[in-house]
Amino acid sequence: MIRIGCHLSPSKGYLAMGKDALSIRANTFQFFLRNPRGSKAKPLEEGDADALMGLLRERDMLPILAHAPYTLNPCAKEERVKEFAAMVMADDLLRLSHFPGNFYNFHPGSHVGQGAEAGVEKTAALVNSLLTPDISATVLIETMAGQGSEIGGTFGEIAAILRLLDLPEKAGVCLDTCHVFAAGYDIVNDLDGVLGLFDDAIGIHKLKALHVNDSLFPLGSRKDRHAPIGKGHIGLDAFLRLVEHPALKDLPMILETPQEDLSGYAREIALLRGEAVDNL
Ligand code: FE
Ligand code: FE
Ligand code: ZN
């Protein structure tokens, strides 16, 4: 069975979040370790974190992903903005040490006029400042749509960041289907070709997780707007092939689609597992 879940909120506590995941038959999920827009983070409750880990081990729901706040810019020109990103990510990794052996996904940032090369160097330097041999998390660079001056919209840029890391074994890649499609990689008509390009540039063994989102905008639009599975330009058939692809089927898959409530995710999880679902 594929390992699939969705983005969840820990607002009612960590254990409650794990139970939410179970209620939609997810066997992985993703969450924020703090307010996704800002730096505010409540003190982590160790007992609650341990209770969640106990549940996840017992019900075979590991690994899970934590997502860095999406407002951070690890390659910002202003020192202050970059330092803020470093501070928040370091604190997130400390929090994630209560959930050992899992993933920390982040957006590589926007170079805002500095050029992609400078962006790549700055993001790599920031990641180097975070990674130590005793960190149990694997840090994942997310593939981006290439919107505005985002870096990570090409596999080459992701590879360039990874090459500059001092501890590359502590880092991997999370492929977001909406983002790569918007960036111009045709996962609908040539999934094998795209995975071949990924393997040539980065190495397929570095691919550790997937964000499974349909795209509101067409191939190469460079617009990052997620759609529910089957309601965008990627389409259900492409997703059914993707989740069963031999190179992908064992990776944790996270839905970040726009849904009103958890039942929407329950339905998408069933749909992608090939189960009968009402009113498609
Ligand atoms: Fe993301
Ligand atoms: Fe994503
Ligand atoms: Zn996105």
Side-chain angles (χ1 to χ4, degrees), residues 67 105 107 142 176 179 211 213 226 256:
H67 195 305
N105 175 83
H107 295 178
E142 183 169 348
D176 186 310
H179 298 175
H211 284 170
N213 305 306
H226 302 185
E256 301 172 310

Side-chain angles (χ1 to χ4, degrees), residues 210-225:
L210 300 173
H211 284 170
V212 182
N213 305 306
D214 213 327
S215 176
L216 209 54
F217 288 99
L219 179 72
S221 63
R222 290 181 146 242
K223 285 197 184 117
D224 176 4
R225 291 282 300 282

Side-chain angles (χ1 to χ4, degrees), residues 14-94:
Y14 291 124
L15 183 59
M17 177 171 63
K19 289 180 176 166
D20 278 350
L22 269 178
S23 78
I24 55 172
R25 298 176 54 241
N27 49 355
T28 184
F29 59 89
Q30 173 180 271
F31 67 109
F32 290 123
L33 288 154
R34 66 189 59 240
N35 181 318
R37 290 173 203 280
S39 65
K40 276 219 184 79
K42 293 186 291 190
L44 183 134
E45 285 181 38
E46 262 181 68
D48 191 23
D50 293 348
L52 173 62
M53 279 306 286
L55 176 74
L56 299 182
R57 283 193 195 103
E58 187 189 307
R59 304 300 292 260
D60 183 24
M61 295 165 77
L62 294 167
I64 53 172
L65 280 75
H67 195 305
Y70 46 77
T71 49
L72 302 181
N73 189 359
C75 61
K77 191 171 181 175
E78 305 79 24
E79 208 56 37
R80 190 179 50 81
V81 177
K82 227 172 51 189
E83 268 165 23
F84 179 72
M87 184 190 81
V88 169
M89 290 171 78
D91 185 62
D92 271 1
L93 284 170
L94 203 59

Side-chain angles (χ1 to χ4, degrees), residues 15-276:
L15 183 59
M17 177 171 63
K19 289 180 176 166
D20 278 350
L22 269 178
S23 78
I24 55 172
R25 298 176 54 241
N27 49 355
T28 184
F29 59 89
Q30 173 180 271
F31 67 109
F32 290 123
L33 288 154
R34 66 189 59 240
N35 181 318
R37 290 173 203 280
S39 65
K40 276 219 184 79
K42 293 186 291 190
L44 183 134
E45 285 181 38
E46 262 181 68
D48 191 23
D50 293 348
L52 173 62
M53 279 306 286
L55 176 74
L56 299 182
R57 283 193 195 103
E58 187 189 307
R59 304 300 292 260
D60 183 24
M61 295 165 77
L62 294 167
I64 53 172
L65 280 75
H67 195 305
Y70 46 77
T71 49
L72 302 181
N73 189 359
C75 61
K77 191 171 181 175
E78 305 79 24
E79 208 56 37
R80 190 179 50 81
V81 177
K82 227 172 51 189
E83 268 165 23
F84 179 72
M87 184 190 81
V88 169
M89 290 171 78
D91 185 62
D92 271 1
L93 284 170
L94 203 59
R95 284 167 176 269
L96 202 54
S97 67
H98 292 277
F99 308 92
N102 289 298
F103 294 116
Y104 185 59
N105 175 83
F106 75 104
H107 295 178
S110 296
H111 67 72
V112 272
Q114 304 170 91
E117 203 178 321
V120 160
E121 281 168 17
K122 284 186 176 179
T123 294
L126 188 139
V127 174
N128 278 332
S129 78
L130 296 173
L131 294 184
T132 57
D134 54 299
I135 281 179
S136 81
T138 302
V139 164
L140 301 183
I141 306 170
E142 183 169 348
T143 61
M144 302 307 293
Q147 196 169 253
S149 66
E150 268 175 5
I151 62 167
T154 66
F155 297 156
E157 284 172 7
I158 304 258
I161 298 170
L162 289 170
R163 270 197 301 273
L164 292 171
L165 298 184
D166 301 327
L167 296 171
E169 68 279 11
K170 296 259 170 215
V173 179
C174 174
L175 185 145
D176 186 310
T177 55
C178 167
H179 298 175
V180 294
F181 183 75
Y185 293 103
D186 191 354
I187 56 172
V188 176
N189 297 301
D190 190 17
L191 178 59
D192 282 324
V194 171
L195 294 175
L197 291 173
F198 187 103
D199 193 35
D200 292 344
I202 300 170
I204 201 74
H205 64 286
K206 297 303 274 183
L207 184 55
K208 303 294 186 191
L210 300 173
H211 284 170
V212 182
N213 305 306
D214 213 327
S215 176
L216 209 54
F217 288 99
L219 179 72
S221 63
R222 290 181 146 242
K223 285 197 184 117
D224 176 4
R225 291 282 300 282
H226 302 185
I229 301 302
K231 302 274 168 66
H233 284 265
I234 298 176
L236 180 59
D237 289 349
F239 280 110
L240 292 174
R241 288 193 298 271
L242 188 131
V243 300
E244 291 295 341
H245 192 284
L248 308 177
K249 66 177 182 31
D250 296 322
L251 300 175
M253 306 179 189
I254 307 294
L255 295 156
E256 301 172 310
T257 54
Q259 296 292 343
E260 306 256 307
D261 51 36
L262 284 180
S263 69
Y265 292 113
R267 190 182 158 281
E268 284 188 327
I269 288 168
L271 187 62
L272 290 172
R273 284 191 179 133
E275 296 165 0

